Amino acid sequence: MEVLLKPEICTIQEVIQETPDVKTFRLKFKDDSIMDKFTWNPGQFVEFSIIGSGECTFCIASSSTRKGTFDCSIKKAGLITADIHNLLDVGSEIGIRGPYGNWFPFEEIKGQNLLYIGGGIGLAPLRSLIQYTLDNRKDYKDITILYGARTSADMVYKKEIEEWKKMEDVNVILTIDKQEDLWFDNVGVVPKILEEKVHPDLSCTKVITCGPPIMIKYTLMSLDKMGFAPKDVITTLEMRMQCGLGKCGRCNIGSTYVCKDGPVFTYEQMKKLPDEF
Amino acid sequence: MAFSIFHISNDELHKLYEDIIKNNETYAPVEHSGDYKFKKVNSLKECNTDAPIKTTASVKPLFFPQTSAIMHYSEDAKGIKIDDPKEDVLTHKKVILGVKHCDARGMQVLDSVAKWDWQDEDWIKRRENTVIFSTLCVTPENTCFCTSLDYDVKTTDAYDVLVVNDGQKKLLKVCTEKGEQFLEPYTGVLTKLNGEGDAKLKAEFTKFKNAFHLKMDYKEVNAKLQGAFENDGWDFESARCVSCSACAFVCPTCHCFKISDEKVRDKGVRYKSYDSCNQKYFTLMAGGHNPRTQKYRRWRQRGMHKFVYYKERFGVNLCVGCGRCTVKCPVNISIFEVVNNVANNI
């Protein structure tokens, strides 16, 4: 066990200030042979640690189709994330264990329309799958990305969103909660825009969603109203984790280990879990 | 595979124990102001293998220490250096004497979580390298309910060797291959019993079983609890809990842990240590979201994990009925009462 809990050292290659409180860290293992062997599927997570401060769980926000480095987008929210924001810079060394958990069913959703619904920092886990599906574009049909944030300043991956907008085969819908100067896109919360602007073909569309709990709650209600089957809605759950190996018991919901059986669940599976939230 | 049952005189058993202690790293219950603790012993005089009450803490720390280092590290201008471990302490062979069968069963139950998916090598190595001698309790304590659960004290192979009183002699039952191999050098002092051994053991077990104060119908409780997630009994039963976690630390089967870092200047250690679902911070996430803020939610997790979730996942009940949590609880909450009351609160 203790051996499994030992991290490998990574060096920070690049730090991107996405929003006032979100930074993306581009990471690479110090030992190249580990980097070569390191592979992951979209939706999996790693245990990210500042040696001396402690460990936190973050999803990998980039796709394994873009090898060489990997990204973690981190919001300053608690003790360790504050340290991550304040202490780390390009060249800093951190510890990484992983990848852990299951992943988005990228094989099973081949040949389907994909509807991504993200809110705030919730775009990070989706970005991994978005990049993967864009790199394997011919395997998937229409791709729609609906992304909302509180304000335009709170939107992550702004540069990349601009690139997605330019792509002819990707439909990007952006929204913010309240009107701002020089904002020419939609205004309103994600579920509202979803019902107004998205008209999916229910027979062959998969929804992949991630965002704050309150957004997820109302988005699932809207999706229900639109007629989506619970098995076609895929999301990733947030639960405090520590070991990531299905041992420490922290992420238990009922007899489910979120770190091993998840974090990716369909809405159908989620409904069967005890109502802890 | 059937294993043998032997007769051994009390004197010979003492000699056998002495010999074991002399030749192995041995742990046994040692008395301290009326309480018993598992400690390393150098002679039989120091310990009591027939301790009349269970040890304060379970035998768990010998397999899953309260704190154990994951790595030591140091930092300098060149970066972070993780030290290589010096010695593999896990390969040490150990013998534990006087383990109550609830404790032994607890370790067996935890094998399931250690061995699913990722293999907890440390646990597995410690288990493999330890021989457990169990003693059948003469009288159960008021908090014990091991005979009411989903395992049969009579047939369990959670321990390697079982010692049972039989008048002026002792019955010695070998329960595993490890136990058989371990006892091989001592076969000279053992008298093998044939048919009558089983009957004698059975009589002792029946006597033991009938002495129990707490009894419950496990199947019924388990079935009722499966639908008890929304039961308001949890609220009532947990009202006086002070969230101290003493129950989790003395429990043989509580296995939740946390990982912490402690660093002073440029040197530090990362270690894992016990944690408990009774603590509010246990599921607190950065940003303030916490699915178990209320006490009843945390107690529900504790009760349901012990009696429903683990059984659902791994096929065995997590609670082994040792009653330590009840003994150590400062406000006298008994898990036996909690699960029974919730199950019957419809």
Side-chain angles (χ1 to χ4, degrees), chain B residues 106-119:
Chain B
M107 301 305 106
Q108 192 181 35
V109 163
L110 285 183
D111 281 346
S112 319
V113 71
K115 287 180 183 170
W116 86 284
D117 205 82
W118 293 89
Q119 299 287 306

Side-chain angles (χ1 to χ4, degrees), chain A residues 44 61 80 84-85 129-130 140 175 207 219 235-236 240 262:
Chain A
Q44 288 196 291
I80 296 169
I84 290 173
H85 272 249
L129 185 63
I130 293 174
Y140 304 92
T175 178
V207 182
T219 302
T235 185
T236 86
R240 174 116 184 237

Side-chain angles (χ1 to χ4, degrees), chain A residues 1-9 30 47-56 75-79 81 92-95 97-101 213 238-257 259-261 274-277, chain B residues 65 68-71 73 75 78-85 112-123 126 229-230 255-263 270 272 275 281-289 291-292 297 300-301 305 308-310 312-314:
Chain A
M1 190 78 208
E2 281 75 349
V3 179
L4 295 175
L5 295 171
K6 212 167 150 179
E8 294 293 347
I9 301 292
K30 210 173 166 185
E47 291 291 337
F48 183 110
S49 59
I50 302 194
I51 312 270
S53 292
E55 264 184 337
C56 265
K75 189 180 173 113
K76 191 174 174 178
L79 211 66
T81 49
S92 304
E93 290 184 349
I94 53 123
R97 292 193 283 128
Y100 298 130
E238 184 198 29
M239 190 72 194
R240 174 116 184 237
M241 290 174 199
Q242 198 107 76
C243 70
L245 305 159
K247 307 286 176 215
C248 79
R250 201 166 295 257
C251 64
N252 278 163
I253 299 181
S255 60
T256 306
Y257 284 87
C259 69
K260 279 307 308 178
D261 308 326
D275 188 19
E276 290 255 36
F277 298 99
Chain B
S68 59
I70 294 163
M71 59 177 192
Y73 48 82
E75 201 177 12
K78 274 180 260 165
I80 295 156
K81 195 176 153 278
I82 296 172
D83 299 348
D84 292 322
S112 319
V113 71
K115 287 180 183 170
W116 86 284
D117 205 82
W118 293 89
Q119 299 287 306
D120 185 345
E121 292 293 339
D122 291 39
W123 173 272
R126 286 195 187 102
F229 190 80
E230 302 291 350
H255 56 277
C256 290
F257 63 86
K258 65 189 263 184
I259 299 166
S260 322
D261 262 61
E262 217 137 279
K263 191 177 156 206
R270 175 169 294 171
K272 94 180 205 217
D275 204 351
Y281 67 79
F282 188 67
T283 48
L284 176 67
M285 287 173 256
H289 184 58
R292 294 190 203 118
R297 286 171 177 259
R300 176 171 68 193
Q301 169 66 17
H305 193 212
V308 180
Y309 300 154
Y310 202 84
E312 198 176 297
R313 182 93 200 190
F314 299 115

